[in-house]
């Protein structure tokens, strides 16, 4: 059953990223690792697998959590990004347009693995931010708590695939903040010999300038 409820997405965009440190939106709430996942509506394969996993989680709920009966309405964590947020009825942010939106979380005792395209662990936390693109492993599960029944979403490993425009509240990466370095012709590259940039300097005897003007006397060398 766990295999049926587990999904690794295609390329998605991440928002509200809290993957290195547990976070609670309100004081007193349990701190968890979490991120909001934006699945493009064009990715019908990922959504088909998510819907199948949710249905499998419902069947598990009937047998394990809900006393053999499925509630007439089962709340699920997936929402239409072109609609409104269930919390306040306001429209989702512009980054959610054209996407399915859901949040996955993990308890503080179970930090998710965060890896790069080559599946190497990401150590530099600034490389992981709201707005980047990646793949996420999630597991859907049934819950029954305080008289409420529904389907939740657990967070598993996260793989960063590429950078994206940082969303509000995210610090940009160094590449985004500084930009792509431009080639410089006036100064030698770090570690390059002077002769590689100035043939005259390479031909001058050691300790003797190779032409030009003395900056102190104004006279030619």
């Amino acid at each position: 059953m766990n295999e049926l409820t587990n999904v690794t997405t295609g390329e998605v965009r991440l928002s509200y990223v809290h993957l290195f440190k547990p976070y609670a939106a309100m004081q007193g709430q349990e701190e968890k690792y979490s991120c909001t996942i934006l699945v493009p509506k064009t990715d019908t394969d990922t959504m088909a697998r998510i819907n199948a996993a949710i249905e499998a989680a419902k069947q598990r709920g009937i047998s394990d959590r809900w006393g053999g009966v499925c509630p007439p309405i089962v709340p699920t964590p997936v929402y239409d990004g072109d609609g409104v947020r269930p919390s306040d009825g306001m429209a989702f942010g512009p980054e959610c347009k054209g996407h399915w939106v859901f949040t996955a979380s993990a308890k503080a005792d179970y930090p998710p693995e965060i890896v790069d395209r080559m599946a190497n662990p990401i150590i530099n936390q600034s490389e992981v931010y709201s707005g980047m693109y990646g793949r996420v492993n999630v597991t859907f599960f049934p819950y029954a708590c305080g008289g409420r029944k529904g389907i939740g979403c657990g967070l598993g490993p996260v793989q960063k695939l590429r950078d994206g425009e940082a969303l509000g509240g995210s610090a940009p990466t160094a590449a985004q903040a500084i930009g792509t370095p431009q080639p410089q012709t006036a100064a030698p590259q770090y570690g390059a010999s002077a002769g590689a940039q100035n043939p005259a300097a390479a031909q001058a005897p050691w300790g003797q300038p190779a032409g030009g003007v003395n900056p102190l006397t104004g006279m030619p060398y």
Side-chain angles (χ1 to χ4, degrees), residues 30-103:
E30 180 183 2
E31 293 186 344
K32 295 183 178 182
Y33 299 97
S34 63
C35 68
T36 296
I37 300 165
L38 312 181
V39 181
K41 291 185 176 179
T42 53
D43 187 356
T44 56
D45 173 71
T46 291
M47 273 312 301
R49 291 184 288 116
I50 287 175
N51 289 332
I54 290 174
E55 289 303 316
K58 289 180 182 179
Q59 296 304 312
R60 181 178 173 185
I62 294 171
S63 61
D64 297 347
R65 305 281 293 178
W66 301 337
V69 178
C70 184
I73 298 177
V74 181
T76 68
V78 181
Y79 301 97
D80 185 345
D82 293 311
V84 296
R85 297 181 303 212
S87 59
D88 56 13
M90 300 295 290
F92 281 98
E95 72 278 3
C96 298
K97 302 304 180 184
H99 294 78
W100 297 105
V101 182
F102 64 98
T103 297

Side-chain angles (χ1 to χ4, degrees), residues 82-178:
D82 293 311
V84 296
R85 297 181 303 212
S87 59
D88 56 13
M90 300 295 290
F92 281 98
E95 72 278 3
C96 298
K97 302 304 180 184
H99 294 78
W100 297 105
V101 182
F102 64 98
T103 297
S105 62
K107 290 184 176 293
D109 294 339
Y110 299 94
E113 288 186 77
I114 315 298
V115 300
D116 60 19
R117 290 185 65 93
M118 303 304 294
N120 297 314
I122 294 179
I123 306 301
N124 185 351
Q125 297 186 16
S126 67
E127 295 181 13
V128 178
Y129 56 92
S130 297
M132 75 174 198
Y133 293 85
R135 300 169 69 219
V136 185
N137 180 267
V138 295
T139 300
F140 294 91
F141 59 88
Y143 65 81
C145 180
R148 299 178 359 186
K149 300 175 182 178
I151 303 298
C153 186
L155 177 65
V158 177
Q159 180 184 39
K160 178 181 178 180
L161 295 179
R162 61 186 176 96
D163 286 312
E165 181 180 357
L167 297 175
S170 294
T173 64
Q176 292 171 322
I178 300 173

